[in-house]
Amino acid sequence: MMGVLDGVLMELQDCALPLLKDVIATDKEEIAFKDLDVAILVGSMPRRDGMERKDLLKANVKIFKCQGAALDKYAKKSVKVIVVGNPANTNCLTASKSAPSIPKENFSCLTRLDHNRAKAQIALKLGVISDDVKNVIIWGNHSSTQYPDVNHAKVKLQGKEVGVYEALKDDSWLKGEFITTVQQRGAAVIKARKLSSAMSAAKAICDHVRDIWFGTPEGEFVSMGIISDGNSYGIPDDLLYSFPVTIKDKTWKVVEGLPINDFSREKMDLTAKELAEEKETAFEFLASA
């Protein structure tokens, strides 16, 4: 793949980007991971036709165990690690477990694409721009069990902030089609363009990293897969689960005290259950990898 990587390198040079100083293309861990401030782990083994999720987890445990170990050995201990390659949550947990000297709070996985998809669906439905919608939440796994929650979301209408439920007055859409559209959007993109999300995923990675680096705007929270230890929402510890967070000084904090109704509770628990099962399978492979 080094030839392909050189093609990417040429394209990056040809963009004449004002902030890009240098690019190193390498297939050597000791060069790629040395003294990193930020690691964005994009590559993973994609699911192929007829492949069981178990086989997918097994292949990826191997990849993310190596990358975790390389981070542990070569990167700065303050490195921020963002896992994009799917199954992102469990891959992120695997990498973190394989890098014991790096704080587990430094590991996060991308659920910002789902977050942005949820924002966009609400904006489209209300005929506003996406920026007018804030504080949607993605709970749980970056999979079709994720729970896009707009119970606490706000939208700007005629210069005034109102709750999304109040603005839309269409509970059945919000509890039905909206949720399934966001949950299955990745598959819909693949079906339409015969390739998985590219630009929207890249934009979400940029959003995620920018917020880690510069913090979230006052009064706003974003969704991010993080370690669940000590959360106040009844999600078991030691899962890599997507929560609403605010970020300041490169440190995230789970948004506390949001009221959770029965509808939400059931969906939050369902995606936690899937993550616990994935973790169990992955850790069996991790022990023998």
Side-chain angles (χ1 to χ4, degrees):
M1 294 303 284
M2 278 307 292
V4 179
L5 201 53
D6 286 334
V8 176
L9 178 61
M10 285 187 246
E11 281 236 88
L12 283 167
Q13 290 167 343
D14 299 349
C15 285
L17 294 157
L19 298 176
L20 184 61
K21 203 165 136 195
D22 190 19
V23 182
I24 300 161
T26 180
D27 58 358
K28 310 257 181 306
E29 281 182 350
E30 63 274 19
I31 296 170
F33 288 87
K34 185 149 181 54
D35 294 335
L36 291 186
D37 293 293
V38 178
I40 303 169
L41 307 183
V42 183
S44 66
M45 160 81 99
R47 194 170 185 166
R48 305 221 166 90
D49 265 0
M51 200 180 195
E52 291 289 322
R53 198 165 173 86
K54 202 169 75 207
D55 302 327
L56 184 70
L57 282 163
K58 187 176 186 177
N60 280 297
V61 160
K62 228 158 120 181
I63 295 169
F64 286 86
K65 184 182 183 180
C66 290
Q67 299 205 323
L71 285 162
D72 205 53
K73 193 170 174 186
Y74 301 112
K76 291 179 184 173
K77 297 309 171 199
S78 58
V79 65
K80 302 294 185 191
V81 184
I82 296 93
V83 175
V84 179
N86 285 320
N89 300 58
T90 300
N91 287 346
C92 188
L93 193 61
T94 300
S96 173
K97 295 282 181 195
S98 308
S101 70
I102 297 168
K104 47 190 172 184
E105 293 75 26
N106 290 21
F107 286 80
S108 60
C109 81
L110 189 76
T111 56
R112 186 60 170 266
L113 179 52
D114 309 301
H115 180 99
N116 288 350
R117 284 166 173 164
K119 265 179 80 156
Q121 287 301 312
I122 298 296
L124 284 165
K125 189 82 170 169
L126 284 166
V128 298
I129 60 166
S130 291
D131 248 15
D132 288 338
V133 182
K134 68 174 193 183
N135 297 352
V136 302
I137 301 169
I138 304 295
W139 298 99
N141 200 0
H142 174 63
S143 74
S144 58
T145 68
Q146 62 171 268
Y147 171 44
D149 175 9
V150 291
N151 282 293
H152 315 284
K154 301 261 190 283
V155 60
K156 203 185 282 173
L157 289 178
Q158 286 120 29
K160 219 172 72 190
E161 268 192 5
V162 275
V164 164
Y165 267 86
E166 191 193 329
L168 262 171
K169 298 183 175 57
D170 189 348
D171 291 18
S172 67
W173 181 78
L174 284 170
K175 288 183 165 175
E177 196 187 325
F178 162 71
I179 291 175
T180 52
T181 298
V182 176
Q183 285 174 334
Q184 292 160 18
R185 188 68 162 187
V189 170
I190 291 172
K191 195 169 178 233
R193 64 177 224 118
K194 312 293 179 267
L195 292 162
S196 61
S197 306
M199 189 170 180
S200 56
K203 160 69 165 57
I205 295 166
C206 292
D207 290 347
H208 181 117
V209 176
R210 187 196 59 227
D211 285 347
I212 287 177
W213 217 250
F214 297 109
T216 46
E218 195 61 45
E220 276 187 46
F221 47 77
V222 295
S223 306
M224 199 177 271
I226 51 169
I227 195 73
S228 61
D229 295 6
N231 75 88
S232 63
Y233 291 105
I235 304 303
D237 283 355
D238 207 34
L239 292 179
L240 218 292
Y241 189 99
S242 181
F243 288 96
V245 298
T246 54
I247 305 164
K248 199 179 172 186
D249 303 327
K250 298 189 177 66
T251 306
W252 54 258
K253 206 166 160 282
V254 174
V255 177
E256 299 290 354
L258 297 172
I260 304 298
N261 60 28
D262 291 347
F263 179 82
S264 295
R265 180 78 264 160
E266 191 182 329
K267 296 231 174 309
M268 288 162 70
D269 290 346
L270 184 76
T271 189
K273 183 173 176 280
E274 181 183 59
L275 280 169
E277 285 163 7
E278 275 187 25
K279 173 188 156 181
E280 198 182 332
T281 309
F283 282 19
E284 279 167 28
F285 295 135
L286 191 59
S288 59

